[in-house]
Amino acid sequence: MRRGVCSFVLMAIGIAAVACMEGGSRRSIASAGEPPASNAEVKIDNFSFGPPTVTVAAGTTVTWTNRDDIPHTVVSDDKAFKSKVMDTDEKFSFTFAKPGTYSYFCSVHPKMTGKVVVQ
Amino acid sequence: MAKRVKDEMVHDHNNDGVDRRGFLKCMAWAGTGALCVMQGGVLKSYSLSRLADLGASAPAAGELSFVQISDSHMGFNKPANPDVAGTLKAAVDKINGLSVAPEFMLHTGDISHLSKPEEFDTVDQILKGAKPKNVFYVPGEHDVLNDDGKQFLERYGKGAKGAGWYSFDKKGTHFIGLVNVMNLKAGGLGTLGHEQLEWIEDDVKHLKSSTPIVVFAHIPLWSVYPEWGWGTDDSAQALAYLKKFGSVTVLNGHIHQTMQKVEGNVTFHTACSTAFPQPQPGKADSPGPMKVPAEQLRSVLGITDVNFVTGQHALAVVDSSLA
């Protein structure tokens, strides 16, 4: 099952999750010597995450944009990251520091699922 | 009985003209609610926008009547309906126009669109204008955003158990309000959860099997269309506790259209939204709001009505003045 995959990285990214939520905005946590931070986009259209799976390098900031008329959220299955509700055109960003597979869903419409693969 | 013009609109089996028909079907209900009459222990549900046309089929006074409204989505302001306050007020006007005032109202959730205090305040203010003063609420997923339902409980859940479930009795009928929008799991449907299921079992244990039961919850307690999340994962367990009862009615919202299903002793109804329609299951890319120009929304609200006649497969869409 997808949702089981990332439990082992929970502890590792917990600090990053807290940092992001408390900061209220994205914050790169890549340390010196790592490749420069890059960005990736996920669009929410028609109750779907697109692309449903996004593969990025460690240190990448992924930004979700809700383009539906209905509010959505982005919540990782293990709660490592969790957006506030996003109304139309609102965004949420999270920086993935460590490699792993992060399954997530919309907690309002849980049939909506997606995955971030960090290499 | 067989000749009764039914208020409930059963799913269109013809699969033709779906978009227009589906739209018109729901718009006839947008801005209205459903009048529920308990008669001889059996609950019947009538669209408020159709009552004037029922004539001899008009609902007889039963032991108990109440109104169900749903999915007000206060705060929604997109093209599908830029005036959800106006359509909710229209529902209140219909309710106040009833010859016999209903005893109370049920609101089956999605009171607000974004769980904002001012959205709840607006709905409260509008519903204060309704003759029935008692309103019983259950939350929709839009009412518990960001705070795990804390605000909903503070406003509407005093004395309720858990996340806001409760029961009460009115004139011999036992009403059970359930919460199936909390702790939703990835890939899953609505959820009641173990604690609530245990409570249901205990709540009905001592009731006589002749007691009419009305269950109300936001997300349908039957599998309308799981692909869009229109169902509840553990509803079968809840319904199993109600097997001994002769008359069970389940009232839901969430899908912004009316559907009806009878299964053994249980009759399921879903209500339309007072805010905006959603497509029929699988008939669009997603269950998002169906959009029409604002002027068309208003005109359709005003003049379109829908009949469903028992034994026919198609809905008859009738343009007529409701004035």
Side-chain angles (χ1 to χ4, degrees):
Chain A
M1 293 295 287
R2 283 179 298 182
R3 81 173 73 157
V5 177
C6 54
S7 57
F8 71 97
V9 294
L10 193 155
M11 293 306 291
I13 63 172
I15 295 164
V18 168
C20 272
M21 286 187 288
E22 286 183 350
S25 60
R26 75 187 193 200
R27 183 191 301 179
S28 173
I29 57 166
S31 58
E34 289 181 1
S38 56
N39 299 308
E41 301 279 332
V42 177
K43 307 291 187 197
I44 302 173
D45 280 305
N46 276 326
F47 289 63
S48 304
F49 295 106
T53 299
V54 58
T55 302
V56 300
T60 299
T61 297
V62 178
T63 300
W64 287 263
T65 306
N66 178 18
R67 304 201 297 196
D68 269 350
D69 276 356
I70 290 291
H72 297 295
T73 65
V74 173
V75 179
S76 83
D77 291 7
D78 55 12
K79 305 292 192 290
F81 56 90
K82 185 176 189 296
S83 76
K84 291 262 188 197
V85 68
M86 293 183 283
D87 200 3
T88 307
D89 295 329
E90 289 183 345
K91 295 171 190 289
F92 168 72
S93 295
F94 185 78
T95 302
F96 292 85
K98 300 284 183 185
T101 299
Y102 302 80
S103 297
Y104 67 89
F105 69 113
C106 167
S107 61
V108 188
H109 310 99
K111 281 286 172 186
M112 294 170 58
T113 58
K115 209 185 289 186
V116 178
V117 179
V118 183
Q119 294 177 330
Chain B
M1 184 74 180
K3 285 199 166 187
R4 182 167 67 91
V5 177
K6 297 189 74 163
D7 55 298
E8 309 95 353
M9 287 163 283
V10 178
H11 191 50
D12 167 32
H13 298 281
N14 288 355
N15 294 322
D16 58 348
V18 159
D19 287 346
R20 179 177 177 276
R21 174 173 294 160
F23 166 70
L24 292 174
K25 178 174 90 165
C26 246
M27 293 324 294
W29 281 61
T32 73
L35 173 67
C36 301
V37 180
M38 185 64 79
Q39 192 182 7
V42 176
L43 188 134
K44 293 172 184 172
S45 170
Y46 302 86
S47 161
L48 292 182
S49 65
R50 277 206 38 74
L51 281 181
D53 299 335
L54 286 176
S57 308
E63 305 97 90
L64 172 67
S65 72
F66 61 95
V67 163
Q68 179 195 7
I69 55 175
S70 200
D71 295 85
S72 307
H73 281 267
M74 195 55 59
F76 180 86
N77 57 7
K78 303 298 187 299
N81 183 357
D83 185 15
V84 294
T87 48
L88 180 60
K89 281 177 193 153
V92 169
D93 289 344
K94 289 280 182 193
I95 292 163
N96 289 343
L98 292 168
S99 53
V100 178
E103 307 222 1
F104 58 88
M105 297 194 281
L106 301 181
H107 195 303
T108 42
D110 283 358
I111 303 158
S112 75
H113 192 57
L114 291 168
S115 300
K116 291 181 179 170
E118 58 268 30
E119 296 171 348
F120 290 116
D121 288 345
T122 301
V123 171
D124 292 351
Q125 198 58 41
I126 292 171
L127 292 187
K128 269 183 193 158
K131 283 183 187 168
K133 291 304 170 199
N134 274 340
V135 190
F136 296 92
Y137 297 89
V138 285
E141 69 280 3
H142 286 258
D143 301 320
V144 296
L145 301 171
N146 297 332
D147 71 346
D148 287 330
K150 192 165 165 272
Q151 179 183 208
F152 176 88
L153 268 184
E154 284 166 4
R155 283 176 176 264
Y156 306 108
K158 290 195 172 63
K161 308 276 194 291
W165 55 83
Y166 57 100
S167 65
F168 60 92
D169 295 284
K170 290 278 183 189
K171 295 192 174 172
T173 298
H174 189 68
F175 289 80
I176 305 173
L178 299 179
V179 180
N180 56 0
V181 298
M182 302 295 294
N183 301 314
L184 304 182
K185 301 288 184 297
L189 304 173
T191 303
L192 293 162
H194 182 67
E195 188 188 350
Q196 189 169 201
L197 286 168
E198 280 197 329
W199 174 83
I200 297 168
E201 182 180 25
D202 190 56
D203 183 64
V204 302
K205 200 159 48 184
H206 304 294
L207 298 174
K208 286 184 189 163
S209 59
S210 58
T211 308
I213 305 285
V214 175
V215 178
F216 58 107
H218 180 65
I219 298 176
L221 293 171
W222 50 294
S223 282
V224 176
Y225 196 61
E227 291 84 347
W228 282 356
W230 291 358
T232 301
D233 276 325
D234 48 4
S235 59
Q237 186 61 52
L239 296 170
Y241 296 137
L242 305 176
K243 273 199 176 126
K244 70 170 181 174
F245 297 100
S247 166
V248 179
T249 306
V250 178
L251 303 175
N252 299 124
H254 187 60
I255 68 169
H256 296 216
Q257 59 196 291
T258 55
M259 286 198 187
Q260 182 205 19
K261 180 189 179 184
V262 180
E263 197 172 289
N265 61 330
V266 184
T267 305
F268 299 87
H269 299 265
T270 60
C272 257
S273 165
T274 65
F276 56 85
Q278 285 177 222
Q280 290 185 356
K283 303 297 183 193
D285 291 338
S286 78
M290 292 202 290
K291 299 177 187 110
V292 293
E295 62 276 15
Q296 191 182 347
L297 174 78
R298 274 296 175 187
S299 66
V300 175
L301 270 176
I303 62 166
T304 304
D305 202 356
V306 180
N307 295 329
F308 177 81
V309 181
T310 307
Q312 293 185 0
H313 285 297
L315 292 165
V317 179
V318 181
D319 292 325
S320 60
S321 171
L322 295 178

